[in-house]
Amino acid sequence: MSNLARQPRNFGAPRLHFEDTINADPISVRDTILEIMRRLQSEFPSQSHGIISTEIVLAEVLNNITEHGYQESNLGDVTVSVLCTDDMISVETRDYGLPMPGLNPPETGLVDIPMEVDDLPEGGFGWFFIRSLSSHMEYRRSGSKNIFCVQIPTAREEPDKMPDTKPT
Amino acid sequence: MMQATETADGVLVLTVTAERIDAASAVHFKDGFRDATAAHGGRVVMDLAPVSFMDSSGLGAMVAALKSLGGRKLEICGLAPAVDKVFRLTRMDKVFIVHEQLDRALTQDGPEGADAA
């Protein structure tokens, strides 16, 4: 089924921009995101949609591992790899934290926000951002390891995938 | 994490001094906001211009900040592209009152002037 042999265009091989194993705590996560964004600057305009989306997705994926996988213990390793092709940034994480519930990335709970201030959610935005800003994701549990991969499109101005946010 | 000043009209202006409101700073941000607004009963305008990035923890902290005002509106301005994106994706831009810039916020009469809904 592979089309690799007759790739119609010269897409070039995926380029590795970052790979490191860090401690899963909020400060290390922040420092790592800043370093990844610095490296991606060589290839993507800094305020492009893809770059902004990548920063948000990176933060949410790593926060999830820190908060849920490792239960905010600040103890545990996560290996982060960032690859890109001409039209995609791909982030892969590997960690030894708790498995995702049901061995699947959670559905976004955020359907429609209430207009009553007191009812507004103060959390639960993370998977919503990941799902909204990515084109593909994959999770698998291998032994005691979680492997999560997510791809963010960069090439085109992304048509906002979100249902339009027109006020009614 | 934020500097508070009061204008001659009694508007409390909070200038966020952090560059990132994320999982590492969200709790600190919420505490700073509560301290800064505790003794103030009027309009609150938060200038987010120095903030280049906000994640879901930061957005949650913003919602907590809004709730702590007990029914008053929270006006915000100076949203960088990444910050603007998280507000728009979640439609929180309809919950907060968003001004482009601080001077624009301060030349308006307040929440009623900004969203005359």
Side-chain angles (χ1 to χ4, degrees):
Chain A
M1 284 288 276
S2 172
N3 288 328
L4 284 177
R6 46 188 178 83
Q7 194 71 265
R9 264 182 54 197
N10 178 18
F11 281 103
R15 300 172 290 281
L16 182 67
H17 280 265
F18 182 89
E19 184 159 56
D20 201 1
T21 299
I22 64 162
N23 191 55
D25 68 81
I27 298 289
S28 304
V29 163
R30 175 194 280 182
D31 290 345
T32 301
I33 293 170
L34 285 168
E35 175 63 18
I36 291 170
M37 299 321 289
R38 200 181 60 76
R39 295 200 195 180
L40 288 173
Q41 269 174 17
S42 62
E43 263 194 82
F44 300 98
S46 66
Q47 295 297 342
S48 60
H49 276 295
I51 280 294
I52 290 173
S53 298
T54 299
E55 187 165 11
I56 297 169
V57 169
L58 264 172
E60 302 308 339
V61 170
L62 294 173
N63 285 349
N64 282 337
I65 294 170
T66 303
E67 289 168 25
H68 303 296
Y70 289 121
Q71 306 267 287
E72 300 185 43
S73 64
N74 293 347
L75 297 169
D77 284 347
V78 51
T79 302
V80 190
S81 313
V82 180
L83 290 99
C84 62
T85 59
D86 292 339
D87 55 7
M88 196 78 82
I89 294 174
S90 175
V91 174
E92 189 184 277
T93 58
R94 278 152 282 163
D95 68 84
Y96 293 91
L98 297 176
M100 288 189 194
L103 297 180
N104 270 310
E107 291 297 323
T108 154
L110 203 71
V111 183
D112 213 353
I113 61 160
M115 281 294 145
E116 282 299 316
V117 169
D118 283 341
D119 299 336
L120 289 173
E122 292 178 38
F125 307 117
W127 280 107
F128 173 76
F129 287 143
I130 297 168
R131 287 185 180 274
S132 304
L133 299 172
S134 66
S135 56
H136 178 76
M137 64 175 163
E138 209 174 301
Y139 168 75
R140 83 197 138 86
R141 178 85 174 171
S142 170
S144 54
K145 191 194 284 193
N146 297 305
I147 302 162
F148 182 70
C149 193
V150 60
Q151 292 179 342
I152 302 107
T154 58
R156 57 207 151 73
E157 284 292 290
E158 57 200 60
D160 254 329
K161 279 169 61 179
M162 295 307 305
D164 210 348
T165 56
K166 294 275 187 315
T168 45
Chain B
M1 255 187 100
M2 57 189 86
Q3 284 178 340
T5 53
E6 198 168 332
T7 67
D9 302 332
V11 179
L12 183 67
V13 177
L14 300 175
T15 304
V16 180
T17 51
E19 283 178 35
R20 300 174 81 82
I21 308 179
D22 58 11
S25 62
V27 172
H28 193 41
F29 175 87
K30 276 189 268 191
D31 291 347
F33 183 86
R34 285 206 185 95
D35 291 347
T37 54
H40 187 88
R43 269 180 79 191
V44 181
V45 179
M46 183 187 288
D47 188 2
L48 288 163
V51 181
S52 60
F53 181 74
M54 183 183 289
D55 67 7
S56 61
S57 315
L59 187 65
M62 290 292 300
V63 172
L66 170 64
K67 287 182 180 176
S68 76
L69 289 179
R72 272 182 291 157
K73 302 276 188 183
L74 178 53
E75 300 174 59
I76 57 177
C77 60
L79 275 60
V83 178
D84 184 64
K85 189 155 195 153
V86 302
F87 273 88
R88 275 190 302 104
L89 278 175
T90 53
R91 304 189 194 191
M92 286 293 175
D93 57 334
K94 306 286 180 268
V95 174
F96 293 79
I97 295 172
V98 183
H99 304 278
E100 238 169 80
Q101 288 170 357
L102 183 59
D103 53 0
R104 296 277 290 276
L106 294 180
T107 50
Q108 285 179 350
D109 294 335
E112 294 75 23
D115 75 343

mmCIF file of all heavy atoms in Angstrom, chain A residues 5 22 39 60 63 65 71 75 80 88 101 108 149 167:
data_model
loop_
_atom_site.group_PDB
_atom_site.id
_atom_site.type_symbol
_atom_site.label_atom_id
_atom_site.label_comp_id
_atom_site.label_asym_id
_atom_site.label_seq_id
_atom_site.Cartn_x
_atom_site.Cartn_y
_atom_site.Cartn_z
ATOM 1 N N ALA A 5 7.431 4.745 -2.940
ATOM 2 C CA ALA A 5 8.289 4.547 -4.107
ATOM 3 C C ALA A 5 7.944 5.508 -5.233
ATOM 4 O O ALA A 5 8.780 5.827 -6.066
ATOM 5 C CB ALA A 5 8.178 3.111 -4.592
ATOM 6 N N ILE A 22 12.969 14.737 29.375
ATOM 7 C CA ILE A 22 12.928 15.753 30.429
ATOM 8 C C ILE A 22 12.153 15.228 31.622
ATOM 9 O O ILE A 22 11.419 14.243 31.527
ATOM 10 C CB ILE A 22 12.259 17.059 29.926
ATOM 11 C CG1 ILE A 22 10.784 16.810 29.568
ATOM 12 C CG2 ILE A 22 13.033 17.616 28.737
ATOM 13 C CD1 ILE A 22 9.955 18.067 29.485
ATOM 14 N N ARG A 39 13.847 26.472 18.158
ATOM 15 C CA ARG A 39 14.409 25.681 17.049
ATOM 16 C C ARG A 39 13.502 25.700 15.815
ATOM 17 O O ARG A 39 13.984 25.663 14.690
ATOM 18 C CB ARG A 39 14.624 24.242 17.488
ATOM 19 C CG ARG A 39 15.666 24.169 18.581
ATOM 20 C CD ARG A 39 16.217 22.794 18.681
ATOM 21 N NE ARG A 39 16.935 22.626 19.935
ATOM 22 C CZ ARG A 39 17.534 21.503 20.288
ATOM 23 N NH1 ARG A 39 17.493 20.458 19.481
ATOM 24 N NH2 ARG A 39 18.160 21.421 21.434
ATOM 25 N N GLU A 60 -0.307 21.457 26.040
ATOM 26 C CA GLU A 60 -1.404 20.624 26.546
ATOM 27 C C GLU A 60 -0.991 19.157 26.673
ATOM 28 O O GLU A 60 -1.351 18.489 27.636
ATOM 29 C CB GLU A 60 -2.641 20.763 25.664
ATOM 30 C CG GLU A 60 -3.176 22.185 25.513
ATOM 31 C CD GLU A 60 -3.418 22.910 26.824
ATOM 32 O OE1 GLU A 60 -3.557 22.234 27.869
ATOM 33 O OE2 GLU A 60 -3.459 24.158 26.817
ATOM 34 N N ASN A 63 1.405 19.001 29.628
ATOM 35 C CA ASN A 63 0.669 19.216 30.882
ATOM 36 C C ASN A 63 -0.108 17.965 31.274
ATOM 37 O O ASN A 63 -0.172 17.602 32.452
ATOM 38 C CB ASN A 63 -0.357 20.359 30.739
ATOM 39 C CG ASN A 63 0.286 21.730 30.734
ATOM 40 O OD1 ASN A 63 1.470 21.876 31.033
ATOM 41 N ND2 ASN A 63 -0.493 22.748 30.376
ATOM 42 N N ILE A 65 0.550 14.876 30.629
ATOM 43 C CA ILE A 65 1.452 13.843 31.153
ATOM 44 C C ILE A 65 1.862 14.191 32.585
ATOM 45 O O ILE A 65 1.855 13.342 33.476
ATOM 46 C CB ILE A 65 2.683 13.701 30.229
ATOM 47 C CG1 ILE A 65 2.242 13.150 28.867
ATOM 48 C CG2 ILE A 65 3.740 12.808 30.885
ATOM 49 C CD1 ILE A 65 3.315 13.187 27.801
ATOM 50 N N GLN A 71 0.417 12.293 37.780
ATOM 51 C CA GLN A 71 -0.358 12.737 38.942
ATOM 52 C C GLN A 71 0.290 13.902 39.697
ATOM 53 O O GLN A 71 0.294 13.917 40.928
ATOM 54 C CB GLN A 71 -0.540 11.555 39.910
ATOM 55 C CG GLN A 71 -1.133 10.333 39.248
ATOM 56 C CD GLN A 71 -2.631 10.308 39.375
ATOM 57 O OE1 GLN A 71 -3.158 10.063 40.444
ATOM 58 N NE2 GLN A 71 -3.312 10.598 38.289
ATOM 59 N N LEU A 75 7.619 13.732 39.261
ATOM 60 C CA LEU A 75 8.613 12.669 39.175
ATOM 61 C C LEU A 75 8.262 11.793 37.987
ATOM 62 O O LEU A 75 7.215 11.166 37.972
ATOM 63 C CB LEU A 75 8.606 11.811 40.443
ATOM 64 C CG LEU A 75 8.989 12.512 41.747
ATOM 65 C CD1 LEU A 75 8.689 11.615 42.943
ATOM 66 C CD2 LEU A 75 10.467 12.877 41.724
ATOM 67 N N VAL A 80 10.417 13.729 24.420
ATOM 68 C CA VAL A 80 9.686 14.523 23.432
ATOM 69 C C VAL A 80 10.485 14.562 22.134
ATOM 70 O O VAL A 80 11.679 14.869 22.152
ATOM 71 C CB VAL A 80 9.513 15.988 23.920
ATOM 72 C CG1 VAL A 80 8.553 16.744 23.009
ATOM 73 C CG2 VAL A 80 9.066 16.045 25.359
ATOM 74 N N MET A 88 3.764 19.973 7.900
ATOM 75 C CA MET A 88 3.295 19.319 9.115
ATOM 76 C C MET A 88 4.351 19.380 10.199
ATOM 77 O O MET A 88 5.531 19.203 9.939
ATOM 78 C CB MET A 88 3.041 17.845 8.771
ATOM 79 C CG MET A 88 2.210 17.114 9.757
ATOM 80 S SD MET A 88 0.488 17.523 9.523
ATOM 81 C CE MET A 88 0.067 16.429 8.171
ATOM 82 N N PRO A 101 -7.238 6.884 30.285
ATOM 83 C CA PRO A 101 -8.447 6.120 30.647
ATOM 84 C C PRO A 101 -9.060 5.476 29.398
ATOM 85 O O PRO A 101 -9.234 6.145 28.378
ATOM 86 C CB PRO A 101 -9.385 7.191 31.206
ATOM 87 C CG PRO A 101 -8.509 8.363 31.552
ATOM 88 C CD PRO A 101 -7.337 8.293 30.629
ATOM 89 N N THR A 108 -13.230 15.609 23.962
ATOM 90 C CA THR A 108 -13.315 16.924 24.553
ATOM 91 C C THR A 108 -14.651 17.093 25.245
ATOM 92 O O THR A 108 -15.695 16.791 24.695
ATOM 93 C CB THR A 108 -13.143 18.018 23.483
ATOM 94 O OG1 THR A 108 -13.817 19.181 23.940
ATOM 95 C CG2 THR A 108 -13.714 17.569 22.164
ATOM 96 N N CYS A 149 1.251 10.495 19.678
ATOM 97 C CA CYS A 149 1.760 11.202 18.518
ATOM 98 C C CYS A 149 0.662 12.126 17.995
ATOM 99 O O CYS A 149 -0.502 11.732 17.905
ATOM 100 C CB CYS A 149 2.129 10.168 17.458
ATOM 101 S SG CYS A 149 3.101 10.878 16.158
ATOM 102 N N PRO A 167 -21.354 35.340 17.116
ATOM 103 C CA PRO A 167 -22.338 35.499 18.175
ATOM 104 C C PRO A 167 -23.737 35.427 17.594
ATOM 105 O O PRO A 167 -23.927 35.751 16.423
ATOM 106 C CB PRO A 167 -22.050 36.895 18.726
ATOM 107 C CG PRO A 167 -21.338 37.613 17.615
ATOM 108 C CD PRO A 167 -20.653 36.570 16.799
#
